Amino acid sequence: MISYLQAAVIGLIQGISELFPISSLGHSVLVPALIGGSWKTLVTQSSSSASETSPYLAFIVALHVATAIALIVFFRHDWVRIISGLFRSIRPSIAARRIVTSDADERLAWLLVIATIPVGITGLILEHTFRTLFAKPEAAAIFLTVNGLILFTGEYLRRKAPIDAEDLEAGELVTIAPSHGTKTVATRRLETLSYKEAGIIGFFQTFALLAGISRSGVSMVGGLTRGLSHRDAARFSFLLATPVIFAAGVLKLPTLAGSAGAHIHGQVIVGAVLAGLASYVAIKWLTRWLETRTLTPFAIYSVVAGVFCIIRFA
């Protein structure tokens, strides 16, 4: 059973950590394990071979759906343009069917489609295997530390990202305030990404199947290494995460109607509502933060928290 206190706490943590680049899956494993007792039992159930009947897993699925809904609401205007652009880009007759790239919304729609393919296929094939093998406190602590190193690497590579003259002309200058002082850097526009680059960023997201590696973090790093601004890298990351999180949640939502969801419907509602609200606030705050700031504070947190948990669970 999941108590209402557990539902509220985990719902809030999920809502924040899913979009902050600090791994919601890692925190859903580490926080209950740190508290111990009945909280730790939840993690043990969700990483077992029979985890499909775990109430905790069914609960986490509902939280992911709530986060996806928050993303859809926040980016609703973007999604209207993107979906409209996708339909515009497909001609009604087979002979004339082709992808039109002159329109920014049409191009962004296909960038998202292509970037979703790697993580979609990998998730369907390996999600259960990765969860049962690696969704354990010791592994999550190690991967959270690795997540911090990935974020540090992303910030380093951003300064060395290649920007073609044509992309630079279509880009902009952005002033950021890293820890060592304010500086101005050149960036690319999101629409200048090639389809190959979108596929690579989508591939980066597959590493988020490992508890402790952040979905938003690795895809932001993928965008930064291609010369995007922190703002555009985050926007592409959030747009890319929306269909992935929503589809994964909807596919497993029927488990709530079975034995896994028995007697926890009230807790699911409480957790989902709090997760959705926390996600919306997190998106709003983070998009503003990344207009002039970097991922460095989240990298420091991941390394410090990860090393602490490694020592704790060693």
Side-chain angles (χ1 to χ4, degrees), residues 70 72 252:
I72 292 172
K252 293 193 174 183

Side-chain angles (χ1 to χ4, degrees), residues 110-123 198-199 202-203 206 240 244:
W110 283 101
L111 288 173
L112 291 171
V113 168
I114 293 171
T116 301
I117 293 173
V119 67
I121 295 175
T122 307
F203 175 75
T206 62
L240 179 57
V244 175

